[in-house]
Amino acid sequence: MAGTLDILQIQELLPHRYPFLLVDRVLECEPGVRLLAVKNVTFNEPFFQGHFPSQPIMPGVLIMEALAQATALLTSQSNKQLGKGTIYYLAGIDNARFKKQVVPGDQLRLEVTYIKHKRHLWSFDCRAEVDGELAASAQIMCAAVAAEA
């Protein structure tokens, strides 16, 4: 499966559910190369009640989680041997940088680019942007593990 993915297709690939499913749609996917997805940031997000009530900002750790979920989606589309039920674990984050606050009403564009993989570990360059401006970046490692029956 390549190209685009809607929320129902994403839910078939990732075990995450609200409030931790942080990818709303895949706009572009070139298996083994790159994936572009979006997260629509709304004021209804539960984390805004406490981070920070007077000036709501999406936590950086959740931006990294959204990027990690995008790496899992690219991994799933890049290897035909990874079947339904594969679990994708965040295995590492290097060189994380935060450049712009993400607030309610923003559309977070998640771009992940394949670097390499060895066995079950996959590495990616990742960028999160809002309105064409870099919000966050990192190199993220994803581990793909077959689910136990």
Side-chain angles (χ1 to χ4, degrees), residues 26-37:
V26 172
L27 302 175
E28 300 172 16
C29 179
E30 189 177 345
V33 180
R34 70 181 275 279
L35 178 136
L36 178 64

Side-chain angles (χ1 to χ4, degrees), residues 1-5 26-37 70 73-80 111-114 122 124:
M1 186 184 312
T4 65
L5 299 171
V26 172
L27 302 175
E28 300 172 16
C29 179
E30 189 177 345
V33 180
R34 70 181 275 279
L35 178 136
L36 178 64
L73 291 167
L74 181 54
T75 301
S76 76
Q77 301 304 291
S78 299
N79 186 333
K80 300 282 187 210
E111 184 170 8
V112 297
T113 304
Y114 170 80
W122 296 66
F124 302 88

Side-chain angles (χ1 to χ4, degrees), residues 40-52:
N40 295 307
V41 181
T42 69
F43 190 70
N44 299 2
E45 310 280 356
F47 51 80
F48 284 133
Q49 293 179 14
H51 197 264
F52 302 100

Side-chain angles (χ1 to χ4, degrees), residues 12-37:
E12 287 180 16
L13 298 168
L14 298 179
H16 306 77
R17 295 297 179 262
Y18 180 84
F20 268 92
L21 181 56
L22 299 173
V23 177
D24 293 326
R25 175 175 291 277
V26 172
L27 302 175
E28 300 172 16
C29 179
E30 189 177 345
V33 180
R34 70 181 275 279
L35 178 136
L36 178 64

